[in-house]
């Protein structure tokens, strides 16, 4: 246990140094693909793809397009968290990035990111 703590601390510090969120849609995705994901009930059978998508959707929480922000990003994250479909590492990254988004000045012109990060 004593050797595990320094590793966890390093991991947390590394994750905290990552940018809070990238752009929307996430890399490799487009608006239509995200809307199809929603239409399919946010079903992603590949667990690794789902973890990556969850982190990628953080950038959409400040998007002025309500369909992407509310319907896809917030909807997918809520669905996957409530269904326990995100692993512990992804949940830690989400928590760290969302906390940073709440406390840092909004970088979106509408100021939507902090309140949606808090939700």
């Amino acid at each position: 246990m004593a050797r595990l703590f320094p590793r966890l601390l390093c991991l947390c510090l590394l994750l905290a140094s990552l940018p809070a969120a990238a752009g929307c849609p996430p890399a490799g995705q487009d608006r239509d693909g995200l809307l199809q994901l929603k239409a399919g009930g946010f079903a992603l059978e590949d667990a690794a793809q789902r973890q990556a998508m969850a982190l990628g959707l953080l950038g959409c929480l400040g998007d002025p397009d309500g369909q992407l922000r509310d319907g896809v990003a917030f909807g997918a994250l809520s669905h996957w968290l409530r269904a326990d479909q995100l692993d512990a590492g992804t949940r830690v990254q989400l928590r760290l990035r969302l906390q940073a988004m709440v406390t840092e000045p909004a970088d979106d012109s509408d100021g939507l990111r902090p309140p949606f990060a808090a939700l």
Side-chain angles (χ1 to χ4, degrees):
M1 184 68 159
R3 293 190 307 181
L4 181 61
F5 181 74
R7 290 180 185 168
L8 288 174
L9 180 60
C10 288
L11 176 62
C12 288
L13 291 173
L14 172 66
L15 292 175
S17 70
L18 294 173
C24 184
Q29 300 294 320
D30 62 19
R31 185 178 191 280
D32 291 336
L34 293 178
L35 294 176
Q36 288 176 356
L37 177 66
K38 178 185 176 189
F42 305 112
L44 281 177
E45 297 304 318
D46 183 302
Q49 184 182 13
R50 187 171 49 252
Q51 310 311 306
M53 179 67 77
L55 296 171
L57 287 174
L58 291 178
C60 294
L61 291 176
D63 199 275
D65 183 342
Q67 287 186 310
L68 293 180
R69 181 189 62 245
D70 305 353
V72 176
F74 184 78
L77 291 169
S78 296
H79 174 79
W80 292 328
L81 286 165
R82 289 179 178 152
D84 199 27
Q85 293 182 326
L86 299 177
D87 63 34
T90 300
R91 289 192 310 264
V92 167
Q93 289 185 52
L94 286 172
R95 183 176 52 85
L96 292 171
R97 293 180 187 187
L98 289 167
Q99 284 176 332
M101 290 167 62
V102 169
T103 59
E104 294 173 354
D107 61 356
D108 58 324
S109 62
D110 296 326
L112 297 169
R113 186 167 287 137
F116 273 88
L119 291 174

